[in-house]
Amino acid sequence: SAVISQKPSRDICQRGTSLTIQCQVDSQVTMMFWYRQQPGQSLTLIATANQGSEATYESGFVIDKFPISRPNLTFSTLTVSNMSPEDSSIYLCSVPGRVNTEAFFGQGTRLTVV
Amino acid sequence: GENVEQHPSTLSVQEGDSAVIKCTYSDSASNYFPWYKQELGKGPQLIIDIRSNVGEKKDQRIAVTLNKTAKHFSLHITETQPEDSAVYFCAAGASDYKLSFGAGTTVTVRA
């Protein structure tokens, strides 16, 4: 499985500010995914980050709120913009494995907005 | 889109007993069914998966079964140990690598 590193691991932010989360993978991958896990809940896909093109967002998520960058095949960032307490969640980066559809996750970024 | 339902939401078992978690899915195009274990403060860890051309898969104390006709799949943990205590998520996906997750099951193994 790929080694996935996320930074920061946690942060406490003031409402109205923005936070950029980084995801670094130890091997080149065509697709990277960003998920949100709200407190005590399941994982919801935010968007697919494609290298060389704009990210593809799932229903309910928009680029203005969650801009994503994918400058190369091993790195991606997710920005949570104009944060409110409702954005307090764990944000997770995921990449496909080497075999078909398996997916592996980073350790997540625990965000608290106050 | 895909809808995955998971139950029970919580499960308490005596150490050494078995634990079973069940999931159903709605999209017949789904062909990949992984299970993740999430410990406190960590990201989900893939523990076992099954694909639609297989009915059952086993890895030591854990096993997964799939009934594609009925659109349900299950995780079985035998001889549970305290380190099995965690939140378990089922998921369903197709060839695009996107996964839809169940709501999670909090498993507590009592010593």
Side-chain angles (χ1 to χ4, degrees):
Chain A
S1 63
V3 176
I4 306 167
S5 301
Q6 276 188 243
K7 291 181 181 180
S9 58
R10 59 177 62 231
D11 207 342
I12 301 174
C13 300
Q14 296 291 323
R15 67 180 66 198
T17 64
S18 297
L19 176 72
T20 295
I21 302 166
Q22 300 179 3
C23 179
Q24 179 76 52
V25 188
D26 68 342
S27 58
Q28 293 184 339
V29 291
T30 53
M31 289 181 285
M32 297 175 77
F33 302 90
W34 288 98
Y35 286 81
R36 180 176 73 182
Q37 186 176 23
Q38 294 178 300
Q41 297 192 27
S42 187
L43 288 79
T44 302
L45 181 62
I46 298 171
T48 304
N50 306 300
Q51 197 271 332
S53 64
E54 283 196 0
T56 306
Y57 289 83
E58 299 299 308
S59 176
F61 298 95
V62 295
I63 188 171
D64 288 348
K65 178 68 176 176
F66 298 102
I68 288 171
S69 78
R70 183 79 200 276
N72 58 54
L73 292 174
T74 64
F75 187 79
S76 178
T77 67
L78 169 76
T79 299
V80 186
S81 302
N82 188 24
M83 290 183 286
S84 67
E86 292 71 37
D87 294 320
S88 297
S89 296
I90 300 172
Y91 292 86
L92 295 144
C93 171
S94 172
V95 301
R98 289 172 295 178
V99 180
N100 294 337
T101 50
E102 60 191 5
F104 297 98
F105 287 84
Q107 82 278 14
T109 296
R110 184 179 295 272
L111 170 62
T112 302
V113 183
V114 297
Chain B
E2 175 65 274
N3 180 43
V4 179
E5 294 190 357
Q6 180 175 348
H7 59 93
S9 58
T10 61
L11 181 59
S12 179
V13 296
Q14 190 70 37
E15 182 177 359
D17 288 350
S18 295
V20 180
I21 304 170
K22 298 182 179 182
C23 290
T24 61
Y25 63 100
S26 61
D27 190 350
S28 57
S30 292
N31 57 13
Y32 177 64
F33 307 94
W35 287 87
Y36 290 87
K37 175 183 181 181
Q38 187 175 30
E39 297 174 321
L40 198 62
K42 297 184 178 180
Q45 176 190 5
L46 178 66
I47 56 172
I48 194 168
D49 57 15
I50 192 167
R51 303 181 192 279
S52 61
N53 58 344
V54 176
E56 184 175 356
K57 183 177 179 181
K58 188 173 182 180
D59 183 4
Q60 298 183 333
R61 294 188 297 108
I62 59 173
V64 58
T65 59
L66 170 65
N67 183 328
K68 201 155 169 53
T69 302
K71 294 194 181 70
H72 65 72
F73 55 113
S74 301
L75 177 72
H76 304 252
I77 307 173
T78 59
E79 301 173 19
T80 52
Q81 301 169 4
E83 52 264 38
D84 294 329
S85 296
V87 180
Y88 291 81
F89 292 97
C90 65
S95 57
D96 60 0
Y97 300 100
K98 297 180 182 179
L99 296 176
S100 297
F101 284 82
T105 297
T106 301
V107 174
T108 302
V109 179
R110 307 186 306 272

